[in-house]
């Protein structure tokens, strides 16, 4: 099954994708992760993308689409698109790409989370710079200060998880990404999961949809 997991920043797309990878053997295609990897490796795409990411803006569609196409050309079965598409133009370009590849999306799953919780989730989020494990200063602190419980790597705040950038990312989401809900309703692929619950409960609902 091929799915799109979408929702506002902080709605749990990354957490739920990791569960789907672990328990159903799916492949996660996270455009945010791909950009962070490119930034780490100081590639030309990484340098370009960083300018936009640091301000909470969307990276231009051309760069995103090229990266997604390259990634899907490696393997395009049983995948989760996490953080892509992020606007109507990307959704249309994805349809065209999948058409050319003779494959399709089975479901678009929207994670609904109350707006007031998103800022708290994002600003308190910390990630391991080595293995990517996700923590939260209040809900899931590391056992040892700023050290990853699983790999011992340094646990840091993403540069775009500061309050100022988070507010900008939520505005960008409202303006550009939220119209995708109607887009996927129109094509009969829209599904909604209440993301205001524990990751375990949210995952149970996602599994039922799969
Ligand atoms: P994420 O990890 O999904 O929260 O994405 C982090 C940042 O990467 C976003 O705020 C954007 O700047 C950029 N980004 C990720 N995916 C996309 C996309 N599909 N289109 C444009 N920019 C993206």
């Amino acid at each position: 099954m091929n799915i799109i997991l979408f929702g506002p920043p902080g709605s749990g797309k990354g957490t739920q994708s990791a569960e789907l990878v672990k328990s159903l053997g799916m492949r996660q295609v996270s455009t945010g992760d791909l950009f962070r990897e490119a930034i780490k490796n100081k590639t030309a795409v990484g340098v370009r993308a960083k300018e936009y990411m640091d301000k909470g803006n969307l990276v231009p569609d051309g760069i995103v689409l090229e990266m997604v196409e390259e990634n899907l050309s490696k393997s395009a079965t049983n995948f989760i698109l996490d953080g892509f598409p992020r606007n109507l133009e990307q959704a249309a370009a994805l349809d065209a790409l999948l058409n050319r590849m003779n494959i399709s999306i089975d479901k678009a799953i929207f994670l609904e989370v109350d707006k007031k919780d998103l800022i708290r989730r994002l600003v308190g989020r910390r990630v391991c710079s080595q293995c990517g494990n996700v923590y939260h200063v209040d809900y899931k602190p590391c056992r040892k200060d700023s050290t990853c419980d699983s790999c011992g790597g340094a646990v840091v705040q993403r540069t775009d998880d500061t309050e100022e950038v988070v507010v900008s990312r939520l505005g960008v989401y409202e303006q550009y990404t939220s119209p995708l809900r109607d887009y996927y309703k129109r094509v009969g692929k829209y599904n909604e999961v209440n993301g205001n619950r524990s990751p375990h409960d949210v995952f149970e609902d996602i599994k039922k949809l799969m």
Side-chain angles (χ1 to χ4, degrees):
M1 181 173 279
N2 301 325
I3 66 164
I4 294 171
L5 206 52
F6 74 120
S11 55
K13 300 184 293 293
T15 304
Q16 297 301 326
S17 295
E19 276 308 310
L20 287 166
V21 169
K22 207 161 71 186
S23 57
L24 302 183
M26 296 180 80
R27 193 166 89 84
Q28 177 189 12
V29 182
S30 156
T31 41
D33 284 351
L34 291 171
F35 283 132
R36 279 183 288 277
E37 192 60 29
I39 291 171
K40 220 180 194 170
N41 296 331
K42 298 191 169 66
T43 66
V45 165
V47 172
R48 271 295 316 271
K50 190 170 173 4
E51 269 176 61
Y52 297 90
M53 291 170 77
D54 281 350
K55 298 193 187 92
N57 292 329
L58 294 184
V59 176
D61 291 347
I63 302 179
V64 184
L65 291 165
E66 199 176 314
M67 193 175 69
V68 170
E69 184 163 359
E70 190 196 317
N71 190 290
L72 287 184
S73 69
K74 290 181 205 153
S75 159
T77 51
N78 213 20
F79 61 80
I80 313 152
L81 292 176
D82 158 10
F84 175 86
R86 230 154 164 129
N87 59 29
L88 292 169
E89 291 75 15
Q90 291 183 9
L94 173 66
D95 286 346
L97 170 66
L98 296 181
N99 237 338
R100 286 200 301 277
M101 296 173 81
N102 235 337
I103 49 175
S104 61
I105 292 294
D106 299 291
K107 284 174 196 287
I109 302 176
F110 177 72
L111 295 178
E112 194 276 318
V113 175
D114 294 343
K115 211 169 162 187
K116 64 175 173 31
D117 291 328
L118 294 170
I119 294 188
R120 205 164 357 145
R121 284 189 184 193
L122 288 164
V123 174
R125 176 165 70 179
R126 299 292 182 271
V127 290
C128 173
S129 51
Q130 298 288 325
C131 71
N133 254 7
V134 180
Y135 297 89
H136 189 280
V137 288
D138 299 319
Y139 314 135
K140 196 188 166 204
C142 341
R143 281 197 293 268
K144 211 173 125 209
D145 224 15
S146 304
T147 306
C148 179
D149 296 352
S150 356
C151 78
V155 173
V156 298
Q157 185 178 39
R158 262 170 57 170
T159 51
D160 60 351
D161 276 347
T162 57
E163 188 155 355
E164 193 193 347
V165 183
V166 161
V167 169
S168 147
R169 287 164 65 201
L170 290 173
V172 165
Y173 162 76
E174 280 299 336
Q175 187 176 353
Y176 298 104
T177 313
S178 113
L180 291 178
R181 296 174 76 179
D182 282 338
Y183 182 89
Y184 287 111
K185 277 178 194 167
R186 276 200 301 277
V187 293
K189 295 195 172 168
Y190 182 83
N191 296 269
E192 189 171 308
V193 169
N194 174 2
N196 297 290
R197 297 167 303 152
S198 70
H200 173 268
D201 290 353
V202 175
F203 188 60
E204 286 304 306
D205 276 8
I206 293 178
K207 258 197 321 202
K208 281 183 206 144
L209 289 173
M210 301 298 287

